[in-house]
Amino acid sequence: MPQTIEAVRHPYANGEVKRMLINGEWVRAASGKTFESRNPATGDLLATVAEGDKEDIDRAVAAARVAFEGPWSKFKPYERQALLLKIADLVEKHYDELSLLDTLDMGAPVTRTRGTRQRVLGMLRWYAGMATSILARRSKTHCPASFSLTP
């Protein structure tokens, strides 16, 4: 059944420069380059986005390494699970808004982006559960190749 969506401009889609999150800070691209993100259905400017390149990737990887070797690596499995479940709860709370932004950005019908709700939330919570599973504790890197990550 067709669904009518009120044509309201989302506050995020205001054309302003969107920065990259690196090392817990919102930063511009090292090169200063940006690109426009446009609604494919209307051509309207959604945002101007920082255009990261090799230097930005290197900064992000270095920050991720420091974070990995920092407090996160010392979290107990139940602490990791609790944090991931909190993220899933936040995604669930804001799902309609996130699906609308996804629709504006890629042009998929909003019924499609909203229709993935159970799958997205299920996967987030499944991965949270993996934090305390025997399999997750047994492997120091990733799950064995014979193990399917599909919930």
Side-chain angles (χ1 to χ4, degrees), residues 71-134:
W72 177 255
S73 67
K74 294 167 185 57
F75 276 29
K76 302 288 184 222
Y78 70 88
E79 293 172 312
R80 292 179 186 198
Q81 181 182 44
L83 182 59
L84 292 169
L85 287 171
K86 185 175 182 179
I87 292 169
D89 290 344
L90 286 169
V91 169
E92 183 172 32
K93 180 179 177 182
H94 298 282
Y95 197 84
D96 287 341
E97 179 181 9
L98 293 169
S99 67
L100 176 60
L101 284 170
D102 204 17
T103 291
L104 291 172
D105 183 52
M106 70 173 177
V110 73
T111 52
R112 179 175 172 213
T113 57
R114 285 186 179 163
T116 62
R117 178 186 199 106
Q118 289 307 112
R119 181 173 184 209
V120 168
L121 296 173
M123 281 195 289
L124 287 170
R125 292 188 172 117
W126 184 82
Y127 281 109
M130 289 302 294
T132 58
S133 77
I134 293 172

Side-chain angles (χ1 to χ4, degrees), residues 44-86:
D44 291 343
L45 179 66
L46 297 173
T48 303
V49 182
E51 185 176 325
D53 58 19
K54 183 183 181 325
E55 185 176 343
D56 301 301
I57 293 167
D58 290 344
R59 287 189 303 162
V61 169
R65 172 55 58 190
V66 169
F68 178 75
E69 293 170 353
W72 177 255
S73 67
K74 294 167 185 57
F75 276 29
K76 302 288 184 222
Y78 70 88
E79 293 172 312
R80 292 179 186 198
Q81 181 182 44
L83 182 59
L84 292 169
L85 287 171
K86 185 175 182 179

